[in-house]
Amino acid sequence: MHKSTDNPTATAAEMAAIEEIVQRHHDQRWPLIPLLQEVQEECGYIPPGAIEPIARGLGLFPAEVQGVVTFYEQFHMAPRGKYVVRVCRGTACHVRGGSTILKIVKRDLDIDENETTSDMRYTLETVPCLGTCFLAPAMMVNKDYHGKLAPPKLRAILKQYDGPGK
Ligand code: FES
């Protein structure tokens, strides 16, 4: 499996949805963040082509919109996989083998941090702490927490997300 390196382009349907969202927010004060959240909910990410219509709709410079998208970690400029794997790189996890866990996930998915598999199934991210240090080493797959990870258990967990029904 290889990482997805495509430069994402919004589809016509996504652009129509973006225009509609901009129209709806355009009379509000300071609507940029909720508007971006809606676009991301609709498209799964903020397509680069969305920056210009959003800026135009809100009377901002494109660089201002771009700056906000880049500043907030919650916004993503590229499509993400169906499953977002977040491996903790915090201290509690690190001392209990977190770096080995990360290495295995990278190798099994054949991607690096912040990359997505070419089949758009997995995106790999690391986080400073998942807030479940008692489960160290820990990771999340979408909203599911997985803790006290060890290599065999980790492989079984990743396999769960590989099935055709998933
Ligand atoms: S350090 Fe890993 S969950 Fe807190």
Side-chain angles (χ1 to χ4, degrees):
M1 225 179 294
H2 298 285
K3 66 176 178 172
S4 167
T5 51
D6 294 346
N7 196 7
T9 315
T11 62
E14 284 174 339
M15 287 311 289
I18 289 163
E19 288 289 358
E20 189 273 323
I21 293 167
V22 170
Q23 280 314 311
R24 226 170 338 106
H25 283 269
H26 131 278
D27 282 342
Q28 298 168 11
R29 280 190 88 197
W30 305 113
L32 182 56
I33 302 277
L35 188 157
L36 289 171
Q37 284 166 337
E38 256 191 72
V39 169
Q40 184 157 281
E41 229 164 80
E42 177 70 33
C43 305
Y45 69 113
I46 311 286
I51 301 293
E52 170 64 37
I54 291 171
R56 201 179 341 105
L58 302 185
L60 298 169
F61 289 111
E64 290 176 288
V65 177
Q66 181 73 49
V68 169
V69 172
T70 315
F71 181 78
Y72 288 98
E73 272 191 21
Q74 61 171 301
F75 297 123
H76 307 283
M77 293 288 294
R80 298 160 95 220
K82 181 174 179 192
Y83 300 109
V84 179
V85 180
R86 293 187 187 89
V87 178
C88 180
R89 57 178 155 77
T91 309
C93 288
H94 181 74
V95 298
R96 289 177 180 79
S99 51
T100 305
I101 296 302
L102 179 60
K103 234 184 259 168
I104 294 171
V105 175
K106 282 182 182 178
R107 199 180 51 210
D108 282 16
L109 301 182
D110 195 17
I111 49 174
D112 224 317
E113 283 167 53
N114 301 316
E115 289 183 354
T116 298
T117 55
S118 55
D119 61 0
M120 301 305 291
R121 197 164 184 89
Y122 297 102
T123 294
L124 174 60
E125 296 177 352
T126 58
V127 290
C129 178
L130 288 171
T132 54
C133 307
F134 60 98
L135 288 177
M139 70 174 191
M140 283 181 84
V141 181
N142 290 354
K143 289 181 178 166
D144 303 334
Y145 285 91
H146 300 283
K148 299 198 186 297
L149 296 170
K153 184 176 176 183
L154 175 61
R155 293 226 162 81
I157 290 166
L158 290 176
K159 243 189 165 43
Q160 285 173 32
Y161 298 93
D162 259 343
K166 285 281 184 175

